[in-house]
Structures are given as C-alpha cells and as structure tokens.
Amino acid sequence: LGRDDQYVRKEVENKGVEDARDYPYELYMKSLLEGDKKMVRKILLHLLKKGVPSKVIYHDYIERSLKETGELWEQGEMPIWKEHFISEISLENMALVKRRKFQEGDGERPILLLTPGAEQHHIGLKMVGDILESNGHNVMYLGNMIPTDNIVQAIKDKKPYAIILSVTMPYHIDSAKLLIDVIKQK
C-alpha cells in the first residue's frame, strides 16, 4: 500500500494534526495492559474528533500496540488470555474508526481478503481492508478457515481485481503457498 513510517508522518504533518500529543501512545498502551476499555475508547474518540487520519490511528496506536503485545506474549511476559483480550479491544476500536466516513466504492471488481489454512491472526488484514475501503475500493473480507474449493468458487463468482492473503505465523506459510498454487492453476 506504499505506507511506511515516513508516509504516515507526512500525512499527519500535511493535515497539521498535533492533537495526538494529548493522548500519547504510552497512555494508550498502559490502558490496554490494564484492560481499561473506556480509556482506550476515549483516546481513540479524541483522535477521531481532532481529525487524526485513520491510517495514523491504525499505525501509531492499534498496530503498534498489537506488535508490542505480541512481543510481550512471545517473551512469556503476558498470558494468552490477556493477548486475546487486547486483540478483541483492538477489533472493537477498529470498528469505531471504520465508522468514519469512507469513500463510496464505484462498483469495481472486488479485492478479496482472507487468511489461508488455519491462520487465525487477521487483525492486520482487516486494517488493510479498512484502509482500502476508505480509499473507495470494493473490499470483500472473507476471513479464515475457508476450504480451498470455496475460495476458488468465490474467485470464479466475483472475479476479483486482487486477492490479498495474510500470514502471521511462519508455520502457515506452506498453506499460503499451496493456496497460491491452486489459484494460479484455476
């Protein structure tokens, strides 16, 4: 999508948004770790009200906190239940951000988004879909655990412009490669 830290920073500078300082990332992360859903929502609502772009909220708050959460879990410093709870809070708040007025799609062929095989980590993929949708693309998020024959059927029926697969865990890469091979053959 051409997004990197410089792109996100430039977008904030171009819009003259400095209101993110009112609620720094550290307070957002602390609130997540404490399970304070009200404070997390207050921070995001403030950012939305001040006009902070969705891309910035996703990148600087939600994505960053999910990466940090994953690292804490990986290091054994966070139990699985807490990592899952933070993921659910993030999904709830992505829906809040998504309510921001999006451009209407022009009926173009859809972009299909899915996770192959048994891959369960889909929040990053949903963020990509939200950003594409906010830019006017017709996005069809299919989710995970879809049998290959159903994916092939969706491709035949919808004739997508693009198919985006997301794999977070290395042991799901083979599932993605197999699915890509099947799609290429059809």
Side-chain angles (χ1 to χ4, degrees):
L1 297 174
R3 187 215 72 202
D4 58 24
D5 287 343
Q6 276 187 325
Y7 171 80
V8 173
R9 286 291 120 241
K10 188 175 181 180
E11 182 157 337
V12 171
E13 290 167 14
N14 288 344
K15 297 209 181 243
V17 178
E18 295 183 7
D19 298 294
R21 293 183 194 155
D22 295 344
Y23 289 103
Y25 168 77
E26 292 74 22
L27 177 61
Y28 177 84
M29 187 65 195
K30 179 179 183 278
S31 301
L32 277 175
L33 292 172
E34 292 173 355
D36 188 349
K37 288 172 58 170
K38 286 182 181 179
M39 178 53 88
V40 170
R41 183 165 295 236
K42 179 179 179 179
I43 291 168
L44 294 181
L45 286 171
H46 171 80
L47 296 172
L48 288 168
K49 183 178 178 185
K50 293 295 185 173
V52 176
S54 300
K55 293 174 190 174
V56 173
I57 294 170
Y58 275 5
H59 182 267
D60 287 2
Y61 289 83
I62 299 174
E63 179 182 329
R64 183 176 172 192
S65 68
L66 288 170
K67 286 179 180 176
E68 189 172 330
T69 298
E71 289 169 3
L72 290 170
W73 172 81
E74 194 172 53
Q75 296 164 1
E77 296 178 26
M78 178 181 291
I80 292 172
W81 72 263
K82 195 169 197 175
E83 184 261 341
H84 282 221
F85 182 62
I86 289 171
S87 294
E88 289 302 316
I89 292 172
S90 299
L91 283 168
E92 289 172 13
N93 287 307
M94 284 171 57
L96 177 74
V97 173
K98 188 175 179 178
R99 286 189 204 121
R100 175 182 276 176
K101 185 180 177 190
F102 279 13
Q103 296 176 20
E104 289 296 319
D106 61 3
E108 67 193 42
R109 293 183 0 225
I111 298 173
L112 299 183
L113 284 73
L114 61 115
T115 57
E119 176 67 65
Q120 296 287 324
H121 296 87
H122 62 278
I123 296 175
L125 182 63
K126 288 179 90 55
M127 284 185 195
V128 169
D130 288 353
I131 290 168
L132 287 168
E133 208 169 47
S134 74
N135 289 317
H137 293 282
N138 179 9
V139 173
M140 291 184 68
Y141 175 76
L142 301 181
N144 58 6
M145 304 292 287
I146 303 170
T148 301
D149 61 334
N150 276 254
I151 294 169
V152 170
Q153 188 62 51
I155 292 167
K156 286 180 181 176
D157 290 351
K158 295 299 179 180
K159 297 174 182 35
Y161 170 75
I163 302 164
I164 300 176
L165 306 177
S166 176
V167 177
T168 302
M169 306 308 285
Y171 45 85
H172 292 300
I173 291 174
D174 287 339
S175 295
K177 288 178 181 178
L178 289 171
L179 179 58
I180 290 167
D181 287 343
V182 169
I183 292 170
K184 284 180 177 181
Q185 293 173 11
K186 303 297 175 180

